Amino acid sequence: MKIPRRAFLGSSLAAMSAAPLAAANPKPGKGGSGKRGRREPDPSSRPPVVISTWPFGKPANDRTLEVFRSGKGGLDAVEQGVRQAEADLSNPSVGLGGIPAAHGIVQLDACIMSGPGHRAGSVAAVEGFKHPVSIARRVMEETRHVMLVGEGAQRFARDRKFEEGPAVTPGQKAAWEAWKKAQEAEKAKVPNHDTIALLMLTPSGDLFGACSTSGWGYKIPGRVGDSPIIGGGLYVDNTVGAAGATGIGENVMRYCGSFLVVEFMRQGMSPTEACLATLHRIASLDPKGYDLSVNFIALDKRGRYGAAGTGQGFQYAVACDDFSKVLQSPGVTQKPVGPLGGNRL
Ligand code: GLY
């Protein structure tokens, strides 16, 4: 599978042309005022509706709906959807096909969240297990904790006979060896990574989410990104909506990014507005401004969905009873003018 990549490290977003909000969504909305600069209203779908990050989210969405239609609940559905991405060893960003940490072994982060009961489970820096999202679910269901990491998470998984897998795939091992050599020669490039965050609204109005990644390629072993952090890479509030993130975790977790998206939806913003407002909040506080790699997806209780990212934005996938497709999010590179530029951010 060919996975579109984002060159987010070593790239200069400042070099990209400035794109105000209006340019990111140039067409006047069908239901909007038609005034120049107005965004289209967010699309909505009758549930079940599933949204996830990147084009590799499309098969994960389809699997989520398939599991749901077979009579399973929303939690089973989002878990199985993310497992689909984790099982694809050609994906260098999710599961054991991922780029390893600097010691040559893949370390996986994942979490899961159920709107009903406001329950969450999470694991980080897990080596040698194929489906960290399922380990995260068991942490949620079988312990009084939310998060287990490293050796403790592995022991927990081993005790429960979770499926084990290679420390690293042969292809990634060869790439890592080349990286090591280049690093010795101080010529190593930092590779890219993406993440799957997946959100679902069921016909009964319940929200569920899951997130999984191999994280930053050649990271310092033990580094944990935003993906397993509840409120960072994923947040589900069954009264409002859900959000998930992809990009450089350090730039998401310092701002409780997914939590903030949901809080903006609580204030009345649509999913896309909430993602944009969160990006502007982050850029307003971060010394690097918009020169970050941060992207959000969001889904609200009404079935409205949206996304936004820094720079040129990113691709995300949506599926419901009527369609399954990949969409392009709006992107932001500068402070907005108009309503989103005010103190509400
Ligand atoms: N967003 C995934 C990570 O930074 O690890």
Side-chain angles (χ1 to χ4, degrees):
M1 182 179 66
K2 180 144 171 45
I3 297 166
R5 315 287 306 157
R6 287 171 56 81
F8 65 70
L9 287 169
S11 76
S12 172
L13 293 179
M16 291 178 185
S17 64
L21 282 180
N25 277 285
K27 288 188 214 133
K30 275 189 206 146
S33 70
K35 280 184 204 149
R36 193 169 141 63
R38 284 294 293 243
R39 281 193 341 96
E40 283 192 40
D42 276 3
S44 70
S45 284
R46 195 163 38 85
V49 55
V50 188
I51 177 170
S52 60
T53 50
W54 303 111
F56 60 67
K58 187 175 179 300
N61 289 354
D62 295 342
R63 176 75 184 135
T64 302
L65 285 181
E66 182 184 66
V67 171
F68 188 72
R69 286 181 190 126
S70 77
K72 301 274 192 199
L75 194 62
D76 288 321
V78 298
E79 178 192 1
Q80 292 301 324
V82 167
R83 279 176 68 101
Q84 168 96 15
E86 290 176 342
D88 178 1
L89 292 184
S90 71
N91 185 334
S93 300
V94 181
L96 288 177
I99 301 168
H103 63 330
I105 295 171
V106 181
Q107 292 194 332
L108 301 175
D109 298 341
C111 73
I112 193 161
M113 207 168 171
S114 163
H118 203 73
R119 296 183 303 151
S122 159
V123 291
V126 173
E127 296 180 358
F129 285 90
K130 285 187 175 172
H131 292 296
V133 72
S134 297
I135 308 172
R137 179 172 175 177
R138 294 284 277 278
V139 172
M140 177 177 86
E141 291 180 333
E142 294 181 11
T143 78
R144 288 178 292 171
H145 310 308
V146 169
M147 187 173 199
L148 295 181
V149 305
E151 184 50 46
Q154 286 158 208
R155 195 174 306 132
F156 176 85
R158 208 169 291 120
D159 287 349
R160 283 155 185 79
K161 310 222 172 329
F162 272 94
E163 202 180 348
E164 302 196 32
V168 61
T169 59
Q172 290 295 354
K173 186 164 184 216
W176 172 75
E177 279 162 357
W179 173 80
K180 282 289 277 184
K181 268 201 198 127
Q183 205 192 31
E184 277 151 26
E186 295 180 3
K187 284 184 183 157
K189 289 204 179 89
V190 179
N192 308 318
H193 74 272
D194 303 325
T195 294
I196 185 157
L198 183 148
L199 315 171
M200 179 183 203
L201 176 69
T202 65
S204 56
D206 287 323
L207 288 151
F208 300 89
C211 186
S212 186
T213 190
S214 52
W216 186 325
Y218 311 139
K219 60 194 171 189
I220 295 174
R223 176 264 187 189
V224 173
D226 61 318
S227 301
I229 306 298
I230 303 303
L234 181 75
Y235 195 65
V236 178
D237 179 327
N238 217 34
T239 65
V240 175
T246 179
I248 298 181
E250 284 73 2
N251 297 336
V252 176
M253 62 206 287
R254 286 182 292 126
Y255 300 100
C256 302
S258 294
F259 177 78
L260 191 54
V261 172
V262 172
E263 288 307 298
F264 279 136
M265 290 195 284
R266 189 191 307 284
Q267 290 174 16
M269 292 188 196
S270 73
T272 302
E273 285 172 343
C275 293
L276 290 166
T278 301
L279 293 171
H280 292 306
R281 166 72 68 79
I282 291 172
S284 74
L285 292 170
D286 201 286
K288 286 186 166 175
Y290 290 87
D291 193 8
L292 302 168
S293 174
V294 177
N295 310 278
F296 293 104
I297 52 170
L299 174 64
D300 74 9
K301 196 77 182 159
R302 292 160 53 183
R304 292 186 300 175
Y305 56 86
T310 50
Q312 294 169 332
F314 75 116
Q315 288 187 298
Y316 64 105
V318 182
C320 59
D321 281 339
D322 301 326
F323 61 81
S324 174
K325 60 189 175 188
V326 173
L327 299 169
Q328 174 65 37
S329 85
V332 291
T333 57
Q334 65 177 33
K335 196 170 187 293
V337 284
L340 279 177
N343 287 336
R344 283 207 303 161
L345 298 182

